[in-house]
């Protein structure tokens, strides 16, 4: 559709339809396309794809109109329904200021032979107004009004900062999707139940997942059928659609294809082997939406943080089979406060105070899904135990026969990178999976319905949750394909199909993680190939509370934008945060040096304490014990001191709660067999870290190792630490660093 700028309006036009947006008060009006002739000097700015809605970033600031500037076709769902991802947006200030270069695709009708849209020539009245305004501003910039000028500049800076976050949300995370003909907010089962509903698509959506509902409220308030064309329900979440070929004779060619992108030959048309379409659709709730450390647990409406419904859809010939699961924060009042990397979780309300809101959450869930099977993956010991215990107590108090509770300590069962142990869980609940069934529809209608759902959670409802949901969904999909005769009864999924399937779920997990925990960089700076040098791995690790503190500032802005999108008043003083952020940035380097000095003192102290007099100290590093089973441990504190002498290395386990080493291990360099450097092995998704693994013999037996990594630091700091090169040289003098870990190999 075309976007025009006139003196008083922005005008969107497609065919015979036009939507006029007042540049002064933001009012929206439907008018016939021929009314463009009545506009003052309309100029075509270019083409856009649709309207997202309006937003006011602060009560002191003007409204903004948000448009879809660019989209990408994700794929087609059964029925030839196109699903698109929002890749770029255009943001127009609903004020008298001129828009910046929007970089829109130019309309061939109005820009034939022109590279850029022309500027609007002000009318004589406009020129007088601008001159008068300039004179007024100039005459008022005097000493008594410097305070007002300063306040005005602060508003502008804050507006820019919030606008940056808005743009990042839509363009960096790539997590907003829409379809003009398919209801992405509703599962196949819910759509089948509402098949006879004659209302337009936007009126049938699931309110929980209609992310731009508040932003289009001025449009929905118009109330005439003509407005339906302009309302596009948008979801935040993830969509991926692939066509897979069931070919058991085809070998996997991992070396020639990127882990992020499935090999081309696996999705090609094959007339001999069975084919099926598989789609993943994750819908993130707009209720209690926000960032990880800003939104935890349940609220007073029974909504939980990071609530996502994921639908796995399989389509073969005229049969569409759907299976849904949900994830969501533990529905009690809890939080993590403070400025450490991984603050201890705490309960914010008593058991008695929580009951009503816990009940409100599950009463709504049971109303929607009929039955719930809770899969709780939090650790049953350590810092997570308090949350797991509170969850179980509330389930027992709720005492509902439609609610089943299953606890699975993921880290305990899968310790040592043994992800295959997730099968212990799927085997244990196999009968429940079969009893739950799935939704199955064909051209004649509904064949069967899914009866209940799995509600999976860990602390963040990210990595562990994604691994388990993928495992459950795979059991279901294999059953579905065998029922339809696509797979032989006793055969597993072919290698290439399985690889693409894993990548889809990995992408799903990454996307949800970016939306809840921040940008991908916050989850690790490494690509899936994870090629980094030793100097980039074994840097002087410092547990930088400052870096975490700065991320909390960024979260405050992102949270404010999310709240404003949903029409929720911003409770934080953004001006105060803005000023604090600037002050803290000035102190950041100085504080970082202080942390380095603190770590250095700690290493020196334990070097004197642990090393005998006849050993020469070569170096020490503060690191993280990167047990491969701790796949959620992206924000753990420094908990290992690695000390190197001329004849041994020491692994000292540091307890930051009591500020001392509680145990240590001395290993002779003669027992050190080899050192491996490379990306951490992962079952799903890209490696989040690069690690070092030290293999050693214990009492003459091989097979023992320590896996360590540095605390997260900026990638541009790689190679700057002298201690890194010192350690590299010291270790390499005793043992040659052998091969990098094979990609994807599980130890």
């Amino acid at each position: 559709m075309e976007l025009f700028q006139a003196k008083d309006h922005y005008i969107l036009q497609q065919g015979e339809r036009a939507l006029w947006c007042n540049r002064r008060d933001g009012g929206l009006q439907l008018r016939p396309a021929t009314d463009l002739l009545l506009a003052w000097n309309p100029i075509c700015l270019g083409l856009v794809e649709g309207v997202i809605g309006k937003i006011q970033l602060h009560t002191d600031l003007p409204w903004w109109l948000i448009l879809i500037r660019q989209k990408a076709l994700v794929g087609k769902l059964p029925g030839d329904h196109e699903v698109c991802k929002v890749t770029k947006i255009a943001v127009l200030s609903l004020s008298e200021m001129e828009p910046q270069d929007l970089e829109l695709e130019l309309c061939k009708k109005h820009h034939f032979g022109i590279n850029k849209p022309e500027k609007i020539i002000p009318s004589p009245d406009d020129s007088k107004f601008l001159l008068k305004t300039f004179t007024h501003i100039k005459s008022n910039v005097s000493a008594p009004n410097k305070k007002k000028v300063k306040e005005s500049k602060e508003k502008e800076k804050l507006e820019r900062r919030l606008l940056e976050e808005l743009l990042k949300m839509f363009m960096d995370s790539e997590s907003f999707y829409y379809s003009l003909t398919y209801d992405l907010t509703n599962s196949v089962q819910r759509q089948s139940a509402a098949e006879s509903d004659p209302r337009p698509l936007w009126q049938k959506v699931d309110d929980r997942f209609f992310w731009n509902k508040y932003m289009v409220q001025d449009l929905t308030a118009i109330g005439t059928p003509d407005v339906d064309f302009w309302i596009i329900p948008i979801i935040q979440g993830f969509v991926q659609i692939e066509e897979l070929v069931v070919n058991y004779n085809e070998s996997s060619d991992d070396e020639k294809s990127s882990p992020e992108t499935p090999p081309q030959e696996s999705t090609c048309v094959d007339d001999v082997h069975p084919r099926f379409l598989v789609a993943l659709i994750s819908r993130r709730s707009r209720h209690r939406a926000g960032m990880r450390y800003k939104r935890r647990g349940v609220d007073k409406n029974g909504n939980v943080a990071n609530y996502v419904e994921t639908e796995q859809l399989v389509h073969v010939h005229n049969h569409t089979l759907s299976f849904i699961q949900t994830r969501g924060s533990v529905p009690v009042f809890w939080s993590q406060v403070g400025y450490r990397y991984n603050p201890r979780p705490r309960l914010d309300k008593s058991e008695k105070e929580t009951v009503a809101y816990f009940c409100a959450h599950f009463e709504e869930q049971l109303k929607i899904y009929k039955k719930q099977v809770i899969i709780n993956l939090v650790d049953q010991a350590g810092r997570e135990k308090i949350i797991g215990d509170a969850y179980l107590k509330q389930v027992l108090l709720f005492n509902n026969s439609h609610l089943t509770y299953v606890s699975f300590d993921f880290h305990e069962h899968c310790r040592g990178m043994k992800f295959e142990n997730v099968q212990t869980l799927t085997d244990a609940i196999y009968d429940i999976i079969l009893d739950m069934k799935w939704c199955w529809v064909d051209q004649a209608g509904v064949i069967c319905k899914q009866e209940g759902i799995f509600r999976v959670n860990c602390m963040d409802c990210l990595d562990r949750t994604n691994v388990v949901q993928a495992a459950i969904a795979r059991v279901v999909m294999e059953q579905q394909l065998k029922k339809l005769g696509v797979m032989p009864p006793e055969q597993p999924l072919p290698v290439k199909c399985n690889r693409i399937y894993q990548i889809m779920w990995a992408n799903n997990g990454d996307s949800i993680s970016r939306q809840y925990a921040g940008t991908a960089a916050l989850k690790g700076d490494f690509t899936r190939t994870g090629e980094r040098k030793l100097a980039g791995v074994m840097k002087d690790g410092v547990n930088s509370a400052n870096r975490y503190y700065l991320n909390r500032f960024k979260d405050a802005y992102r949270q404010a934008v999310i709240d404003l999108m949903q029409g929720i008043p911003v409770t934080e003083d953004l001006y105060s945060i803005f000023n604090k952020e600037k002050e803290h940035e000035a102190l950041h380097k100085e504080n970082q040096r202080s942390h380095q000095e603190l770590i250095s003192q700690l290493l020196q102290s334990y070097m004197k304490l642990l090393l005998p007099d006849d050993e020469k100290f070569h170096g020490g590093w503060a690191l993280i014990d990167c047990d491969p089973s701790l796949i959620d441990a992206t924000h753990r504190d420094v908990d290992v001191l690695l000390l190197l002498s001329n004849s041994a290395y020491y692994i000292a386990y540091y307890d930051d709660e009591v500020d001392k080493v509680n145990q240590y291990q001395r290993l002779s360099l003669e027992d050190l067999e080899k050192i491996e450097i490379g990306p951490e092995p992962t079952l799903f998704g890209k490696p989040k870290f690069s690690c070092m693994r030290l293999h050693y013999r214990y009492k003459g037996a091989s097979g023992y190792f320590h896996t360590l990594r540095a605390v997260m630091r900026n990638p541009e700091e790689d190679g700057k630490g002298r201690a890194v090169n010192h350690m590299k040289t010291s270790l390499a003098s005793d043992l040659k660093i052998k091969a990098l870990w094979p990609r994807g190999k599980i130890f």
Side-chain angles (χ1 to χ4, degrees):
M1 62 183 67
E2 299 159 317
L3 171 64
F4 293 89
Q5 179 188 352
K7 177 186 173 185
D8 299 320
H9 294 87
Y10 287 113
I11 303 167
L12 289 160
Q13 187 164 308
Q14 183 165 333
E16 300 301 314
R17 301 180 177 92
L19 176 66
W20 288 47
C21 183
N22 193 297
R23 293 178 60 187
R24 287 182 170 80
D25 61 17
L28 299 173
Q29 188 180 11
L30 300 179
R31 297 176 66 167
T34 51
D35 279 8
L36 186 64
L37 299 171
L38 305 176
W40 177 272
N41 191 26
I43 298 296
C44 181
L45 299 178
L47 299 175
V48 295
E49 300 293 341
V51 179
I52 293 175
K54 295 193 309 179
I55 189 172
Q56 188 180 26
L57 296 173
H58 199 276
T59 51
D60 298 337
L61 302 171
W63 285 83
W64 292 80
L65 178 66
I66 307 175
L67 306 173
I68 302 171
R69 173 158 67 99
Q70 196 174 93
K71 67 179 181 183
L73 179 65
V74 175
K76 292 183 178 181
L77 291 172
D80 214 31
H81 298 288
E82 290 188 350
V83 178
C84 297
K85 175 167 59 179
V86 177
T87 55
K88 291 183 181 178
I89 61 170
V91 184
L92 299 169
S93 175
L94 298 180
S95 64
E96 293 171 350
M97 65 182 286
E98 291 295 309
Q100 296 177 337
D101 185 4
L102 301 174
E103 299 181 356
L104 301 181
E105 181 185 344
L106 299 183
C107 158
K108 293 180 181 178
K109 183 166 64 174
H110 299 102
H111 297 281
F112 182 74
I114 300 174
N115 292 325
K116 284 195 174 183
E118 54 189 296
K119 298 272 186 181
I120 289 185
I121 301 169
S123 68
D125 291 339
D126 289 338
S127 299
K128 287 177 185 177
F129 173 79
L130 291 171
L131 183 62
K132 184 179 178 182
T133 303
F134 177 76
T135 307
H136 178 74
I137 292 171
K138 189 175 179 181
S139 64
N140 278 280
V141 180
S142 54
N145 291 310
K146 282 184 179 178
K147 185 179 178 182
K148 289 184 178 180
V149 173
K150 184 181 178 182
E151 288 176 357
S152 177
K153 286 183 178 178
E154 288 294 310
K155 284 181 186 178
E156 288 176 9
K157 288 178 182 177
L158 179 60
E159 184 175 38
R160 280 200 302 270
R161 188 71 185 81
L162 292 171
L163 202 56
E164 283 173 12
E165 282 302 321
L166 179 68
L167 292 168
K168 285 177 184 176
M169 268 194 70
F170 276 95
M171 298 200 287
D172 288 357
S173 67
E174 294 192 343
S175 59
F176 291 92
Y177 298 82
Y178 70 94
S179 174
L180 299 177
T181 58
Y182 187 87
D183 183 1
L184 288 175
T185 70
N186 274 306
S187 65
V188 168
Q189 186 159 312
R190 292 198 296 270
Q191 288 186 54
S192 299
E195 207 164 21
S196 59
D197 190 337
R199 292 179 299 166
L201 188 148
W202 71 268
Q203 290 183 12
K204 295 188 287 186
V205 296
D206 189 320
D207 182 75
R208 296 174 295 168
F209 309 120
F210 187 178
W211 254 75
N212 57 328
K213 179 182 178 179
Y214 175 77
M215 299 170 72
V216 295
Q217 65 177 358
D218 286 358
L219 274 175
T220 58
I222 292 174
T224 62
D226 292 341
V227 81
D228 299 341
F229 173 81
W230 300 99
I231 300 173
I232 303 174
I234 290 175
I235 66 165
Q236 186 186 36
F238 174 76
V239 182
Q240 186 169 345
I241 303 167
E242 299 289 344
E243 187 176 55
L244 305 185
V245 180
V246 182
N247 184 356
Y248 289 97
N249 299 320
E250 201 171 29
S251 61
S252 179
D253 192 4
D254 290 342
E255 292 78 14
K256 294 184 180 179
S257 58
S258 162
E260 293 196 17
T261 308
Q264 292 299 314
E265 54 270 35
S266 61
T267 57
C268 65
V269 174
D270 189 323
D271 294 329
V272 177
H273 300 96
R275 291 179 287 134
F276 66 96
L277 179 142
V278 61
L280 271 185
I281 304 172
S282 280
R283 313 169 175 102
R284 185 170 164 82
S285 175
R286 66 186 184 88
H287 301 303
R288 196 156 176 73
M291 307 306 294
R292 170 167 39 187
Y293 291 111
K294 295 290 182 182
R295 293 290 181 269
R296 291 290 207 190
V298 72
D299 66 13
K300 291 186 177 181
N301 295 314
N303 300 309
V304 295
N306 200 24
Y307 183 89
V308 182
E309 180 188 81
T310 299
E311 179 177 22
Q312 180 175 279
L313 193 150
V314 173
H315 182 73
V316 183
H317 304 304
N318 295 319
H319 297 267
T320 301
L321 302 94
S322 156
F323 184 75
I324 58 176
Q325 303 178 75
T326 62
R327 68 178 76 190
S329 191
V330 175
V332 298
F333 289 95
W334 67 281
S335 60
Q336 285 176 284
V337 296
Y339 298 110
R340 296 174 49 207
Y341 259 124
N342 188 20
R344 277 190 174 275
R346 71 177 191 189
L347 295 174
D348 298 325
K349 287 187 184 292
S350 69
E351 183 181 293
K352 187 177 179 181
E353 290 174 302
T354 302
V355 169
Y357 308 106
F358 182 93
C359 291
H361 173 71
F362 275 108
E363 281 167 1
E364 186 198 28
Q365 294 297 297
L366 293 174
K367 182 180 177 182
I368 298 169
Y369 301 111
K370 310 307 178 192
K371 295 178 183 177
Q372 292 258 304
V373 178
I374 296 169
I375 308 290
N376 183 18
L377 305 174
V378 303
D379 294 349
Q380 294 173 26
R383 64 172 63 199
E384 296 183 3
K385 187 176 187 298
I386 187 174
I387 304 301
D389 288 350
Y391 199 178
L392 178 56
K393 286 177 184 176
Q394 291 295 329
V395 170
L396 294 173
L397 289 170
F398 189 57
N399 192 25
N400 190 303
S401 61
H402 296 297
L403 195 65
T404 303
Y405 181 88
V406 177
S407 182
F408 183 79
D409 189 330
F410 187 96
H411 287 154
E412 183 62 33
H413 285 88
C414 300
R415 188 165 296 279
M417 202 59 193
K418 295 177 180 176
F419 289 112
E420 64 271 18
N421 288 352
V422 170
Q423 189 173 342
T424 306
L425 172 63
T426 54
D427 287 348
I429 62 173
Y430 186 75
D431 290 340
I432 299 176
I433 295 173
L434 295 185
D435 289 344
M436 194 174 285
K437 304 176 186 175
W438 51 78
C439 178
W440 184 351
V441 300
D442 65 7
Q443 288 177 320
V446 178
I447 296 172
C448 74
K449 294 181 179 180
Q450 182 175 338
E451 298 175 0
I453 59 160
F454 289 101
R455 184 200 192 276
V456 187
N457 73 273
C458 48
M459 290 296 281
D460 295 332
C461 302
L462 297 176
D463 297 329
R464 285 176 280 183
T465 296
N466 205 63
V467 169
V468 169
Q469 284 196 336
I472 293 171
R474 176 175 169 158
V475 171
V476 172
M477 185 175 74
E478 289 186 346
Q479 288 295 319
Q480 291 171 337
L481 294 176
K482 288 171 183 177
K483 285 267 187 186
L484 293 168
V486 176
M487 274 176 61
E490 303 302 323
Q491 287 275 13
L493 203 62
V495 175
K496 281 200 172 182
C497 287
N498 182 56
R499 182 169 176 271
I500 296 169
Y501 179 77
Q502 286 184 336
I503 289 168
M504 290 177 72
W505 272 96
N507 292 341
N508 178 65
D510 287 346
S511 185
I512 294 170
S513 179
R514 281 194 297 270
Q515 293 157 29
Y516 188 49
T519 64
L522 297 179
K523 295 290 287 175
D525 300 320
F526 312 106
T527 63
R528 294 194 183 201
T529 53
E531 295 176 1
R532 293 188 77 182
K533 304 298 182 184
L534 181 59
V537 180
M538 297 304 304
K539 297 189 317 175
D540 295 335
V542 176
N543 184 9
S544 175
N546 291 282
R547 189 171 307 287
Y548 174 70
Y549 195 31
L550 289 173
N551 286 336
R552 294 291 285 262
F553 282 128
K554 293 173 185 175
D555 281 357
Y557 298 125
R558 177 65 61 92
Q559 187 65 55
V561 170
I562 291 170
D563 287 344
L564 291 166
M565 287 175 69
Q566 305 308 326
I568 301 169
V570 176
T571 54
E572 290 193 78
D573 182 354
L574 295 179
Y575 285 117
S576 173
I577 290 172
F578 186 70
N579 290 325
K580 283 181 183 176
E581 181 184 27
K582 290 189 292 184
E583 291 169 12
H584 195 80
E585 282 174 342
L587 295 171
H588 178 57
K589 290 183 180 179
E590 182 182 341
N591 288 341
Q592 197 169 37
R593 283 195 296 271
S594 299
H595 278 278
Q596 289 171 343
E597 289 169 9
L598 185 66
I599 292 296
S600 179
Q601 290 171 9
L602 191 68
L603 291 167
Q604 289 293 329
S605 298
Y606 280 100
M607 177 267 291
K608 294 174 184 176
L609 187 66
L610 298 179
L611 269 67
D613 294 336
D614 60 346
E615 288 187 24
K616 183 181 178 182
F617 180 62
H618 279 293
W621 297 267
L623 303 170
I624 285 177
D625 181 7
C626 191
D627 185 324
S629 72
L630 299 176
I631 61 170
D632 278 353
T634 54
H635 290 81
R636 285 173 60 88
D637 293 319
V638 173
D639 57 6
V640 169
L641 302 178
L642 173 62
L643 305 176
L644 179 67
S645 77
N646 61 322
S647 58
Y649 74 90
Y650 295 76
I651 300 290
Y653 293 91
Y654 177 73
D655 186 345
D656 65 325
E657 295 296 324
V658 294
D659 195 26
K660 69 178 183 180
V661 166
N662 53 24
Q663 60 177 311
Y664 76 94
Q665 187 177 6
R666 181 189 184 277
L667 293 151
S668 170
L669 291 180
E670 292 179 359
D671 290 327
L672 189 58
E673 295 182 311
K674 64 178 177 178
I675 305 171
E676 293 178 316
I677 307 294
E680 59 169 348
T682 57
L683 186 63
F684 289 93
K686 60 186 176 184
K688 298 177 180 66
F689 305 104
S690 204
C691 304
M692 177 175 77
R693 183 166 286 178
L694 306 174
H695 291 260
Y696 65 92
R697 290 185 298 272
Y698 179 68
K699 293 182 178 180
S702 299
Y704 296 89
F705 57 81
H706 292 291
T707 309
L708 307 169
R709 70 167 173 84
V711 179
M712 288 186 294
R713 300 283 296 276
N714 273 343
E716 60 265 22
E717 293 172 354
D718 283 355
K720 292 183 183 177
R722 292 180 183 177
V724 174
N725 294 322
H726 183 206
M727 181 179 183
K728 177 181 176 183
T729 305
S730 300
L731 288 171
S733 66
D734 289 286
L735 286 167
K736 290 183 179 179
I737 294 175
K738 304 196 177 175
L740 292 175
W741 294 349
R743 186 175 65 205
K745 182 177 179 182
I746 297 175
F747 287 81

